[in-house]
Amino acid sequence: MPSPETVFHSLTPSDLKPSEWHPFMVGAVAPRPVAFASTIDAEGRVNLSPYSFFNAFSSNPPILVFSPANRVRDNTQKHTLQNVREVPEVVINICDFALVEQMSLASTEYDKGVNEFTKAGLTELASERVRPPRVAEAPAAFECVVEQIIELGQNNGAGNLIICRVVRAHFRQDILLPDAIGIDPFKLDAVARLGGDWYCRASGASLFEAPKPNRHIGIGFDELPDHIRNSDVLTGNELGRLANIERDALPTPEQIEAFKAEPMVAYLLNKHRNDAPERAKQLVQLSRQFLAEGRQVEAWKALQLELPAS
């Protein structure tokens, strides 16, 4: 929960120069996936450039959208935007950690007609449904036709939404889940853009799961017992996990009573049997441990051992 002492730095974008506002927006709206976009112009010259104003917006139809914004410094437009107006096709390659430095090099503003595949030391791989090549080193690539280009303005920093429909996709075999039912996030080793020169890497300990309540209805914060909802120890994330339990999954009084006989719980209750504040503190810590292990029901049991009498 936010502290009453929380101080905010509030801005109105129209009061600032584009160069002053830009770092706040891209620094806070993060991390952002990167569209490593390959295009060609009417003469068949290849361009490759990364864009972090990018995401997936529909799976049926399969739509990806990225935005080559007008340059903040001089309001000129990117070669990618010029190319898709001439040849409305693009391959959106996905960048993993192994590609970061080469992808960054490809963002250099070379003259029009310079092939960034060559400059960045990347391999062109012929696409199957569109004319621009894909990046052979990329773990995933989406061949797309450009459905629409929407100009969001004429000023410095104005975006140009390139709405792309996927017509063919390629996923490297080693990043797939068993039986090829999807992508394994631990094997993808994805990267995303932050502000300035910063990126982040989605791998190892930085990956975590948060159960989506799309198959059940959690009880919600408003139905947490007061001593849980008003805890000065439990974090917002921990309270959210507790509130995401279904009503019929809440432990019964009989289950809570039986829980007292669990060795760890019995030891804790006995050790602090004459010190109620410390006992309550230790039960909260135990519940936090259970939550960290994904044991939501056990966390509830530990907390309800200290449920005030009604």
Side-chain angles (χ1 to χ4, degrees):
M1 295 300 186
S3 165
E5 293 77 31
T6 301
V7 177
F8 291 93
H9 180 63
S10 302
L11 300 171
T12 300
S14 59
D15 291 342
L16 303 173
K17 297 177 182 177
S19 59
E20 294 171 337
W21 165 247
H22 183 79
F24 283 97
M25 188 176 74
V26 299
V29 183
R32 301 182 306 283
V34 178
F36 202 11
S38 48
T39 58
I40 61 171
D41 65 12
E43 297 178 28
R45 296 178 297 181
V46 173
N47 181 269
L48 177 65
S49 187
Y51 297 93
S52 67
F53 288 180
F54 161 64
N55 221 310
F57 286 85
S58 171
S59 60
N60 186 26
I63 299 294
L64 303 176
V65 179
F66 72 104
S67 177
N70 298 346
R71 293 183 179 90
V72 173
R73 68 173 183 275
D74 59 8
N75 202 30
T76 56
Q77 295 190 330
K78 306 290 181 65
H79 297 150
T80 299
L81 180 60
Q82 297 169 11
N83 285 359
V84 296
R85 285 182 172 140
E86 296 177 15
V87 179
E89 298 175 346
V90 60
V91 179
I92 296 179
N93 304 279
I94 300 302
C95 183
D96 60 8
F97 183 72
L99 272 178
V100 167
E101 295 292 346
Q102 288 169 283
M103 179 268 290
S104 180
L105 178 57
S107 69
T108 302
E109 295 187 356
Y110 295 110
D111 291 338
K112 185 171 175 57
V114 172
N115 188 334
E116 286 83 3
F117 275 89
T118 302
K119 290 293 186 182
L122 295 169
T123 308
E124 293 185 28
L125 189 61
S127 296
E128 298 176 9
R129 302 284 180 84
V130 299
R131 282 164 282 184
R134 56 192 175 100
V135 176
E137 291 83 358
F142 299 89
E143 298 182 24
C144 305
V145 294
V146 175
E147 296 281 321
Q148 190 178 4
I149 300 173
I150 301 176
E151 294 184 359
L152 301 180
Q154 303 295 322
N155 300 323
N156 305 54
N160 301 276
L161 302 185
I162 301 179
I163 301 175
C164 310
R165 177 170 52 87
V166 180
V167 294
R168 186 73 167 162
H170 310 273
F171 307 97
R172 202 171 61 213
Q173 194 73 29
D174 64 295
I175 68 169
L176 299 178
L177 289 166
D179 298 322
I181 60 172
I183 307 299
D184 187 331
F186 287 92
K187 294 177 181 176
L188 178 59
D189 202 9
V191 295
R193 194 78 166 85
L194 303 171
D197 291 339
W198 291 95
Y199 290 80
C200 67
R201 181 181 186 182
S203 66
S206 67
L207 296 177
F208 63 92
E209 290 183 289
K212 292 191 293 186
N214 55 357
R215 296 183 180 88
H216 65 268
I217 299 177
I219 63 171
F221 262 65
D222 56 326
E223 296 198 31
L224 292 174
D226 287 345
H227 80 289
I228 295 177
R229 186 173 63 249
N230 299 322
S231 169
D232 56 2
V233 176
L234 294 168
T235 67
N237 278 336
E238 290 166 338
L239 292 171
R241 179 65 66 92
L242 290 166
N244 197 21
I245 194 170
E246 292 182 272
R247 192 175 311 283
D248 59 7
L250 286 168
T252 65
E254 295 76 19
Q255 290 173 326
I256 295 170
E257 186 63 30
F259 188 60
K260 294 179 180 179
E262 294 286 333
M264 182 188 305
V265 179
Y267 171 78
L268 187 156
L269 294 176
N270 182 61
K271 180 178 180 180
H272 304 291
R273 61 183 180 278
N274 297 320
D275 188 345
E278 183 62 23
R279 183 172 66 248
K281 177 181 176 182
Q282 292 300 319
L283 287 169
V284 170
Q285 292 302 327
L286 181 60
S287 74
R288 298 185 75 190
Q289 178 181 329
F290 285 139
L291 286 173
E293 296 170 356
R295 300 166 65 184
Q296 185 186 37
V297 173
E298 285 87 347
W300 264 98
K301 290 177 182 178
L303 290 169
Q304 288 190 308
L305 286 174
E306 286 297 308
L307 186 63
S310 56

